[in-house]
Amino acid sequence: MNHPDIVIVGGGMAGASLGAELAAHAHVVVLEMEDRAGYHATGRSVAFWEETYGGPVVQPLTTASGPMLSAPDPEFHDGSFLSPRGTLHIGRPGDEPRRDAFLDAFAGRVDLQPVDPVALVPGLRPGWTLGVMEASCQDIDVAALHQSYLRKLERLGGEVRLATRLEAARREEGGWRIETRDGAIHCGLLVNAAGAWADDVARACGVAPVGITPLRRTVVQIDVPDLPSPDLPLIMDMQARFYFKPEGRNRIWLTPHDEEPSPPCDAAPEELAVAEAVARFEEAVDWGIGRIVHRWAGLRSFAPDRAPVYGFDPTAPGFFWFAGQGGFGIQTAPAAALLAAAIITGAASPSAIASVDSRAYCPDRFR
Ligand SMILES: Cc1cc2nc3c(=O)[nH]c(=O)nc-3n(C[C@H](O)[C@H](O)[C@H](O)COP(=O)(O)OP(=O)(O)OC[C@H]3O[C@@H](n4cnc5c(N)ncnc54)[C@H](O)[C@@H]3O)c2cc1C
């Protein structure tokens, strides 16, 4: 049927989660240009839920998502998507102002405890004397979360069309005419959840871009024969030069925290970033390095102010932005999807997101 109420462009975490929340209210079609949903940023994340990640503007979305991730609707998923991890933020002399600003920014919002990192991390190199423990951080089962949203969408009558790209769209009486290689689709509302392609999709619809910039992030999985314990926290540099976390008994996931601007594409890791990741890891701990098992890169897409962009475009009736999820689009997905669905349907905000103020995310700020 080519006259759905709502077309969502993008079948990653953003499109799937919002589609699932809207499907009870409207006929929703999600267009995904790849053969499988979740191929781009969603399938490449480091999979943690950390309340401070993304800064104070993002934190209310992350915090509100926590209970929904740990106790999801049993009709669509059995058990929690989260498992305990904790984050230890580490720093060296000179990082005190950074540490203090970090503690101040989240005072009264997130439980952060100054600690001695040496006592917590066997093999920490000399000089790492500052520590802040963020015990609430959890790992997320990203694939299970994404699949549960797709299941909910389809059970409620929604549809995902794979290998179907929005080529162009234009306004018509009552909504939009969307061109795909399989023909035109007519809908009342067009949602832009296209991740790194969000500005391109806007242009293809005749809507001015808001300045979403994809930034490449590299991840390496390395065997570490002397990993002291698989239960160590995520270890994050206060200067944002690296973070790593154990994965099983002798392996870590590691990133040099790179943010290289990139056109939207199938991102691939660069050798230099991989080498930087390894060098920074070795600066932090003496656990040794084994085989690099896997390396990948993905695009994290940011608006100019690094806050997400959720809302109707004031210059284009029936065009809704759900973009700019940066490095926090998984951990914020439940709250963000509820928020956007409430704006679209005009319903009152559910109590689960009572603490979230949507004005911070409104696209009006770029118009
Ligand atoms: C290395 C890395 C680590 C990360 N770690 C974390 C983490 O630990 N925790 C966290 O919360 N977040 C993390 N993130 C961020 C998170 O992955 C993203 O914020 C999230 O996946 C964004 O979801 P999305 O649906 O907006 O984008 P995507 O998953 O990229 O989906 C957008 C989709 O739109 C499709 N599309 C584009 N144009 C069109 C078109 N014209 N027609 C049809 N389809 C189109 C694309 O094919 C794509 O599948 C990380 C990201 C990276 C890269």
Side-chain angles (χ1 to χ4, degrees), residues 265-290:
C265 65
D266 188 357
E270 302 254 318
E271 275 314 309
L272 182 62
V274 172
E276 261 167 9
V278 170
R280 291 173 187 183
F281 172 72
E282 290 194 299
E283 259 178 48
V285 288
D286 69 0
W287 299 346
I289 292 273

Side-chain angles (χ1 to χ4, degrees), residues 14-15 193 195 212 300-303 307-310 322-330 332 336:
I212 301 286
R300 301 152 77 248
S301 300
F302 290 92
V309 188
Y310 301 151
F322 199 51
Q325 283 87 347
F328 45 81
I330 311 294
T332 54

Side-chain angles (χ1 to χ4, degrees), residues 9-15 31-34 36 38-49 140 164-167 193-197 201 217-219 243 296-300 322 325-332:
V9 185
M13 190 61 83
L31 302 184
E32 171 51 57
M33 66 181 178
E34 303 291 354
R36 109 181 131 73
Y39 177 74
H40 289 290
T42 296
R44 305 177 191 210
S45 92
V46 179
F48 59 76
W49 176 89
I140 311 179
T164 307
R165 179 189 174 99
L166 174 146
E167 306 285 350
W197 288 263
V201 164
R217 166 79 31 112
T218 307
V219 185
Y243 65 75
W296 70 92
L299 299 177
R300 301 152 77 248
F322 199 51
Q325 283 87 347
F328 45 81
I330 311 294
Q331 62 179 30
T332 54

Side-chain angles (χ1 to χ4, degrees), residues 227-307:
L227 181 69
S229 159
D231 299 323
L232 283 169
L234 174 73
I235 295 179
M236 195 170 269
D237 175 28
M238 285 180 192
Q239 288 189 21
R241 293 172 66 248
F242 62 81
Y243 65 75
F244 51 88
K245 69 173 187 179
E247 172 75 14
R249 289 177 54 80
N250 294 107
R251 191 165 288 177
I252 56 157
W253 290 29
L254 163 69
T255 168
H257 226 267
D258 46 338
E259 293 203 330
E260 195 59 34
S262 163
C265 65
D266 188 357
E270 302 254 318
E271 275 314 309
L272 182 62
V274 172
E276 261 167 9
V278 170
R280 291 173 187 183
F281 172 72
E282 290 194 299
E283 259 178 48
V285 288
D286 69 0
W287 299 346
I289 292 273
R291 190 171 57 100
I292 295 186
V293 185
H294 190 34
R295 61 190 84 193
W296 70 92
L299 299 177
R300 301 152 77 248
S301 300
F302 290 92
D305 59 4
R306 293 179 77 99

Side-chain angles (χ1 to χ4, degrees), residues 13 45-50 62 65 69-70 80-85 137-146 245 247 253 327-334:
M13 190 61 83
S45 92
V46 179
F48 59 76
W49 176 89
E50 190 195 83
T62 309
S65 294
L69 290 167
S70 62
S80 176
F81 293 110
L82 301 180
S83 50
R85 171 62 61 192
C137 171
Q138 313 260 335
D139 286 337
I140 311 179
D141 187 339
V142 179
L145 178 63
H146 188 226
K245 69 173 187 179
E247 172 75 14
W253 290 29
F328 45 81
I330 311 294
Q331 62 179 30
T332 54

